[in-house]
């Protein structure tokens, strides 16, 4: 009788634990009310009219856009992909972020004159101005305006208390 009670109790405990873990990892960014007060963190990615929810992880953010090739354009600003994500903070505690800028042109084009919308971008860590520099409010220049070869990647790190949203504003097809 005593063993049967312990077996039922342990089975019930495992079932409750399993259900708790399923609820924890399958939520849609909602609070799990209870004694723990856990909140699931979710990252929202907007793609046109659709919003994707993904688990919160320290991955590089990707700006996704579909190129419009209807009129036979050789390249477009959608051929430049910007990824950025957090990295180890400076010794002073200021957060740092790594930015990768990629040329993913499928027609083999080199892209120059890459300008990004960047707000009042600034960094506590020096960035080589030949790689990335702010020209004015909301206008940053990549690679000193020189071509980023097909399949090429530029990367740099900046330090600030928050992540700057960066997006391509204009390009020149070479």
């Amino acid at each position: 009788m005593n063993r049967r009670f312990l077996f039922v109790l342990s089975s019930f405990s495992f079932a409750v634990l399993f259900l708790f873990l399923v609820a924890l990892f399958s939520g849609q960014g909602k609070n799990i009310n209870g004694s723990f007060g856990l909140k699931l963190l979710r990252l929202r990615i907007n793609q046109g009219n659709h919003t994707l929810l993904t688990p919160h992880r320290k991955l590089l953010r990707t700006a996704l856009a579909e190129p419009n090739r209807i009129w036979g354009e050789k390249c477009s600003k959608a051929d430049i992909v910007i990824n950025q994500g957090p990295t180890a903070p400076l010794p002073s505690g200021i957060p740092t972020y790594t930015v990768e800028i990629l040329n993913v042109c499928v027609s083999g084009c080199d892209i120059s004159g890459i300008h990004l919308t960047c707000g009042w971008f600034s960094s506590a860590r020096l960035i080589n101005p030949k790689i990335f520099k702010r020209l004015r409010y909301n206008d940053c220049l990549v690679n000193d305006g020189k071509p980023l070869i097909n399949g090429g990647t530029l990367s740099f790190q900046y330090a600030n208390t928050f992540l700057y949203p960066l997006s391509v504003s204009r390009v020149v097809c070479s």
Side-chain angles (χ1 to χ4, degrees), residues 1 23 57-58 61 85 104 122 132 134 144 150 152-153 159-160 165:
M1 178 74 174
R57 296 185 183 175
K58 290 187 176 182
R61 289 185 351 166
V104 295
S122 66
F132 187 82
R134 182 171 57 86
D144 212 20
N150 183 36
T153 301
N160 204 315

Side-chain angles (χ1 to χ4, degrees), residues 2-12:
N2 197 14
R3 286 184 189 209
R4 185 180 300 170
F5 176 74
L6 290 175
F7 176 74
V8 170
L9 183 62
S10 64
S11 298
F12 179 76

Side-chain angles (χ1 to χ4, degrees), residues 139-167:
D139 186 15
C140 290
L141 183 64
V142 175
N143 202 26
D144 212 20
K146 296 176 184 164
L148 182 58
I149 63 170
N150 183 36
T153 301
L154 284 175
S155 66
F156 63 91
Q157 287 188 339
Y158 69 92
N160 204 315
T161 53
F162 58 89
L163 181 139
Y164 280 96
L166 303 173
S167 62

Side-chain angles (χ1 to χ4, degrees), residues 78-151:
D79 291 320
I80 298 296
V81 175
I82 302 169
N83 297 319
Q84 67 173 313
T87 51
L90 294 177
S92 63
I94 299 173
T96 63
Y97 303 93
T98 297
V99 178
E100 290 180 335
I101 302 171
L102 299 91
N103 177 351
V104 295
C105 181
V106 294
S107 60
C109 51
D110 296 342
I111 300 175
S112 60
I114 302 168
H115 288 260
L116 306 182
T117 57
C118 56
W120 287 114
F121 182 89
S122 66
S123 176
R125 169 180 275 168
L126 184 63
I127 301 170
N128 183 347
K130 291 183 178 184
I131 294 176
F132 187 82
K133 67 180 168 185
R134 182 171 57 86
L135 302 174
R136 63 186 70 77
Y137 171 73
N138 225 19
D139 186 15
C140 290
L141 183 64
V142 175
N143 202 26
D144 212 20
K146 296 176 184 164
L148 182 58
I149 63 170
N150 183 36

